[in-house]
């Protein structure tokens, strides 16, 4: 190539980069809880219909090989927001409801990056990343540090999960509707106050537990952890989807001049599954299916708001999930008996908690009308890359030690390229790491139960290494370790090198 044409081409490439870098679409990230790859009709479900999610998929780009970082909530969200794998830092497993904020306030974060680029940044819904200083939050005072100290300008939260106390909403630094004359007390060590527990008073329950979840009863459902007081502030599970969706829509309305980022972290379809009466009984699959319908409704309501405000074309919408599916996660809600042949994980093996692919391979849909060409992408991608990708999209550079596991994959997320990530790491409940590269999946050896009887999930934990070729064996049934020892050596060496990568936790 002649030098002049080389520089001409270089010029074109650079100007493309600049065009991408200067775009500041609004960003709506709808992050479902425990939604499996096969739980939505656009991913092949036939027993349940999700028209609003399907609409986003039809108008957008649907990924078939996108991963959460972990097969449980807290570590997936930690890595989504920090661009670093949670397993690099101790204490980032499933957090109790009184945990301190897990993300140090001096860290670069996904909302922080967007805030620096001029975005209004909001989070609504499940948090589960701890709140307050070491020792936990002051529930009756200012609850901080929290989202507002790590890059969000507005927050409306379930502090942990729907099945963990305290069962109250926290807006910015305060519990909503708390009566100072009835202070709230929270403990994960032992009972506080006189509220009945599920263990002692099962006759008071409207939904019985199947395992765990036998502590303080709130709204007829016993939870993990103990609480007392705060009666006027307690949430009603059946109203939660409406409350959260309303807050998201208010935030969008108030930020419509843009750009804004909203992280809508739904409670659905996590346990306890108590959908609104509009959805109860409607799926024919029991509360788990009804919660999927409710989630789909939430997506529809947000979509309508974007349409009404004329923001649809200016908004990048992403729908995904924090980990794979579980059917019985601790309540007797008919999810198992009414499954009716539905396959929450689609063709994948395992589920929530596991090292098999259903643990982390989740729905992932990107819509940006006029910018993202509708279709499907088989590129291997990970949610850990959203931070660096949004930094690139908004024209910002990151220090090399920050967000060390997050790569700029914006062209793949926007469908401009089919390029896969060089590798993806999956992290399971017992700490097992797996490495995906091309069509290979390597699961490192680990100790732990191969089958979790309460949740009836195959974990993929074995003392021997495992190697699967997902191109020919998506269901991870034939361990090829004996046939390809050189691939095993290569992938385990790569995994170790990644494990040792330097950077800030
Ligand atoms: C488990 C809970 C489960 C769920 C999970 C966290 C029991 C027996 N099981 O310990 O119900 O809350 O933690 O789910 O307590 S996650 O999606 O937030 O990671
Ligand atoms: Ca989850």
């Amino acid at each position: 190539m002649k030098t002049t044409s080389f520089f001409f081409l270089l010029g074109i490439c650079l100007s493309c980069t600049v065009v991408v870098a200067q775009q500041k679409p609004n960003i709506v990230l709808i992050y479902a809880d425990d939604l499996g790859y096969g739980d939505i009709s656009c991913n092949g479900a036939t027993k349940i219909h999700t028209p609003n999610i399907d609409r986003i998929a039809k108008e957008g780009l649907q990924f078939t090989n996108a991963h959460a970082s972990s097969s449980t909530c807290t570590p997936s969200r930690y890595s989504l927001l920090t661009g670093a794998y949670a397993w690099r830092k101790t204490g980032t497993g499933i957090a109790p409801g009184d945990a301190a904020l897990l993300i140090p306030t001096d860290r670069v974060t996904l909302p922080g990056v967007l805030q620096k680029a001029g975005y209004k940044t909001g989070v609504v819904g499940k948090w589960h990343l701890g709140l307050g200083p070491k020792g936990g939050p002051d529930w009756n005072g200012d609850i901080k540090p929290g989202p507002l100290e790590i890059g969000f300008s507005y927050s409306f939260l379930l502090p942990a999960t729907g099945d963990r106390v305290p069962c109250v909403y926290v807006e910015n630094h305060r519990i909503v509707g708390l009566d100072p004359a009835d202070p709230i007390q929270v403990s994960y060590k032992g009972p506080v106050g006189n509220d009945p527990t599920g263990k002692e008073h099962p006759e008071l329950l409207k939904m019985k537990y199947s395992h765990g979840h036998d502590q303080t009863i709130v709204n007829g459902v016993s939870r993990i952890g103990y609480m007392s007081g705060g009666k006027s502030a307690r949430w009603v599970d059946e109203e939660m989807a409406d409350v959260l969706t309303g807050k998201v829509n208010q935030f969008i309305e108030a930020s419509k001049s843009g750009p804004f980022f909203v992280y809508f972290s739904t409670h659905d379809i996590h346990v306890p599954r108590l959908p609104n009466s509009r959805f109860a009984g409607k799926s024919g699959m029991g509360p788990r299916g009804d919660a999927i319908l409710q989630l789909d409704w939430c997506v529809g309501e947000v979509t309508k708001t974007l349409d009404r405000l004329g923001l649809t074309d200016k908004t990048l919408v992403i729908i995904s999930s924090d980990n794979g599916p579980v059917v019985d996660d601790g309540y007797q809600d008919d999810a198992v008996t009414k499954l009716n042949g539905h396959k929450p994980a689609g063709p994948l093996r395992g589920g929530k908690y596991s090292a098999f692919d259903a643990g982390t391979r989740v729905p992932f849909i990107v819509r940006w009308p006029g910018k993202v060409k509708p279709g499907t992408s088989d590129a291997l991608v990970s949610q850990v890359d959203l931070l660096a990708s949004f930094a690139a999209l908004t024209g910002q550079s990151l220090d090399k030690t920050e967000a060390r596991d997050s790569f700029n994959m914006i062209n793949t997320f926007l469908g401009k390229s089919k390029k896969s990530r060089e590798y993806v790491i999956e992290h399971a409940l017992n700490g097992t790491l797996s490495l995906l590269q091309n069509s290979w999946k390597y699961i490192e050896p680990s100790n732990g139960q191969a089958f979790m009887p309460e949740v009836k999930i195959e974990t993929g934990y074995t003392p021997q290494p495992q190697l699967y070729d997902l191109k020919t064996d998506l269901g991870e049934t034939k361990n090829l370790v004996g046939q390809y020892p050189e691939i095993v050596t290569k992938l385990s060496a790569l995994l170790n090198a990644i494990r040792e990568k330097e950077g800030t936790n």
Side-chain angles (χ1 to χ4, degrees), residues 109 111-112 115 121 146-153:
T109 63
Q115 199 170 47
T121 51
L148 301 196
E149 285 68 37
I150 61 155
F152 286 104
S153 54

Side-chain angles (χ1 to χ4, degrees), residues 33-34 71-75 77 94-95 126 128 160-161 163-164 211-213 224 270-271 322-324 326 328-331 352-353 429 454-455:
D33 200 352
D34 298 359
S71 57
T72 56
C73 165
T74 301
R77 288 160 199 260
I94 299 173
K126 173 174 174 175
H128 212 188
T161 62
D163 58 349
R164 282 175 177 72
H211 53 275
H213 305 98
I224 307 172
H270 199 278
V271 295
D322 66 340
N323 53 253
V326 54
D328 176 353
D329 207 15
Y331 291 97
K352 179 174 179 175
Y353 309 114
L429 177 67
E454 303 88 8
V455 291

Side-chain angles (χ1 to χ4, degrees), residues 303-483:
T303 309
K304 270 196 234 160
T305 301
L306 295 175
D307 287 345
R308 179 172 56 82
L309 297 173
L311 296 175
T312 300
D313 290 350
K314 294 183 204 160
T315 305
L316 175 64
V317 175
I318 297 181
I319 301 174
S320 196
S321 176
D322 66 340
N323 53 253
V326 54
V327 181
D328 176 353
D329 207 15
Y331 291 97
Q332 298 178 31
D333 61 3
D334 291 339
V336 177
T337 49
K338 293 197 170 157
L339 209 51
N340 188 26
H342 172 66
K343 290 198 164 62
L348 309 172
R349 187 171 181 183
K352 179 174 179 175
Y353 309 114
S354 71
F356 286 131
D357 241 41
T360 62
R361 195 191 288 215
V362 286
F364 195 92
I365 303 165
V366 178
R367 185 190 76 170
W368 186 5
K371 294 291 189 329
V372 170
K373 214 166 128 214
T376 57
S377 173
D378 295 334
L380 176 62
V381 292
S382 169
Q383 293 168 3
V384 73
D385 292 333
L386 287 177
L387 190 155
S389 303
F390 288 164
L393 181 70
T394 55
Q396 301 183 72
S397 55
L398 294 167
D399 187 298
K400 276 207 177 62
T401 60
E402 296 174 325
R404 69 177 127 158
D405 300 307
S406 190
F407 301 161
N408 173 13
M409 296 289 294
I410 192 66
N411 287 334
T412 301
F413 285 131
L414 299 183
K416 294 188 196 325
S417 155
K418 293 260 173 188
K419 200 165 167 248
S420 283
R421 201 181 201 276
E422 187 196 335
Y423 58 80
V424 159
I425 297 204
E426 302 177 19
H427 167 234
L429 177 67
N430 76 338
T432 303
L433 298 185
S434 307
L435 188 90
L436 290 165
Q437 191 172 51
N438 303 318
S439 69
W440 293 113
K441 163 123 177 224
Y442 165 72
I443 307 179
E444 68 176 358
S446 72
N447 296 315
Q449 43 183 178
F451 182 72
M452 291 170 76
E454 303 88 8
V455 291
K456 297 185 184 54
I457 286 176
E458 291 182 300
T459 60
Y461 309 157
T462 64
Q464 299 82 32
Q466 297 166 78
L467 180 73
Y468 298 102
D469 182 357
L470 300 184
K471 195 159 67 201
T472 54
D473 181 25
L474 187 58
E476 296 168 274
T477 60
K478 283 182 251 52
N479 185 359
L480 301 175
V481 156
Q483 271 161 270

